Each structure stands twice: as structure tokens, then as C-alpha cells.
Amino acid sequence: MRSSTERRLVSGPAGKIECAVDAPSGAPAVTPRGAALIAHPHPQFGGTLDNTVVQTLARSFVELGYEAWRPNFRGIGASEGKYDEGRGEIEDLFTIFTHLGNRKIVLAGFSFGAAMIARLAQRVKAERLVLVGIAVVNFETPTVPANTLVIHGETDETIPLSAVLDWARPQELPVVLVPGADHFFHRKLHVLRAIVSSNWK
């Protein structure tokens, strides 16, 4: 399913929040099945809404019929404000979640963004969570709903697989392992996309 992408600015607690919005083909004539809010990696280490993993997640959800929203965290791109060690970033995500209104919303994120999404999920009701390369070693990461899709690379040196398993084990939460994948899923993005698609109804 092809998509069209546009940039939108949403008023947030620290100023404007820049978002890339990917709509399924046929929109607005065809109503999306819901929205997917996707959070990018750490803003102080090059993370933006254009990250390849984030774009892959967006394409996956567009193919599933969702409208995908990729905000830039504060201080990145056209988003105003400055890095707030995760506190303000969660508020930015909450702002976009509220902006999306009363429809089914999937929450997804990569690395730092996945950790922020896990925290956001404590405050809002989402259809489902998709957490890729979740940054459990650097940020306090809460438990997540049982139907959460967790995906991790076998050779991830940024967030070791063992750390993710230690976080998931007490929750009896399955982790989908991508053999040979590093933190950024180089040469494995097609596998990531297939996992999301195959785990969706």
C-alpha cells in the first residue's frame, strides 16, 4: 500500500512539535483503521523521525491500513524546545496521542523511543505496543501489556539482548529475536517489516 507523507506542526508544551504523517493510499476517501504513533531514537545521538527503523515501522503500519505519525522530539528538526532527559519527551508524545483523538492508536518506538513509548503506555490506552531495540539499560522501563510485540537484534551491542531478556522475564513477555541483526537492523529492515506484518490481524 503506497502512502503520501506530509509534515505537520502540533502545539506542544515546549512549542511546536514537527510530525511526519504517512497516510494510507486512498486517504482521505478511505478511512484508516487507526493511527500509529512512532517514537524515534535518542535525540542527542542523531535520532530523528527520519531514522530508517522508524520509517520502516511507519511503512509497516501504513501497509496495515494505519495513518502513521512520526514526531520529532523537542529540539530536533522543526520541533521547538530542548532535550529534557525523557520527561518532556513523554509529554510531547502524550500531546500527539491526545491530538490523534478518539480512534484506535498503536504505540511504537525504537531504542530510546521504545522506552518512552513504554512509559507513555502507563498513562494512555493503546490498541497495542511495538517496541524495537528497547533501551532498557539506560532508562527506567516499566512493565508493558501482555500483547506487546518486542523485537530485538541478536548482535545488538548498544542494548544487549541479555538486558532485554532480564526485563522481559519477570513479565513472561516473549521477545522476537532477529538473528544477525545489530541495534540498527542493518540489512535486516525487511525482516523487521515482515515481523510486524505477520503479527497483526
Side-chain angles (χ1 to χ4, degrees):
M1 180 179 291
R2 293 183 180 179
S3 66
S4 57
T5 304
E6 62 176 290
R7 300 276 173 147
R8 300 185 193 176
L9 295 175
V10 177
S11 295
K16 298 295 184 183
I17 303 171
E18 179 187 19
C19 297
V21 182
D22 304 288
S25 62
V30 176
T31 303
R33 65 187 287 186
L37 173 55
I38 306 165
H40 70 68
H42 204 298
Q44 293 195 316
F45 297 96
T48 76
L49 59 76
D50 289 320
N51 170 269
T52 56
V53 172
V54 172
Q55 290 190 66
T56 297
L57 288 170
R59 284 193 293 270
S60 298
F61 284 113
V62 167
E63 288 177 353
L64 290 166
Y66 292 85
E67 182 179 75
W69 284 68
R70 296 176 284 136
N72 259 333
F73 283 125
R74 53 184 61 191
I76 300 300
S79 291
E80 298 175 334
K82 61 182 181 179
Y83 176 63
D84 194 31
E85 299 179 349
R87 296 180 297 268
E89 286 73 17
I90 295 171
E91 295 306 316
D92 292 344
L93 290 172
F94 181 75
T95 296
I96 302 301
F97 183 93
T98 303
H99 178 79
L100 292 174
N102 186 24
R103 52 177 160 167
K104 290 183 179 180
I105 300 176
V106 174
L107 299 178
F110 170 47
S111 195
F112 170 86
M116 297 302 102
I117 285 294
R119 291 192 196 179
L120 175 67
Q122 293 187 301
R123 297 175 53 180
V124 302
K125 185 176 181 180
E127 180 183 359
R128 196 176 181 192
L129 275 62
V130 177
L131 307 175
V132 179
I134 184 168
V136 297
V137 296
N138 298 317
F139 299 92
E140 182 179 343
T141 309
T143 58
V144 294
N147 69 341
T148 298
L149 177 58
V150 180
I151 306 170
H152 211 79
E154 178 190 18
T155 62
D156 190 329
E157 295 181 352
T158 303
I159 312 294
L161 174 62
S162 60
V164 175
L165 293 175
D166 288 344
W167 167 74
R169 191 174 297 110
Q171 306 178 61
E172 297 186 338
L173 185 67
V175 176
V176 179
L177 176 68
V178 179
D182 60 15
H183 186 61
F184 293 97
F185 289 81
H186 289 127
R187 298 188 178 91
K188 301 293 183 181
L189 292 173
H190 64 289
V191 180
L192 176 61
R193 193 169 176 174
I195 291 170
V196 174
S197 298
S198 64
N199 278 272
W200 227 260
K201 296 180 180 179

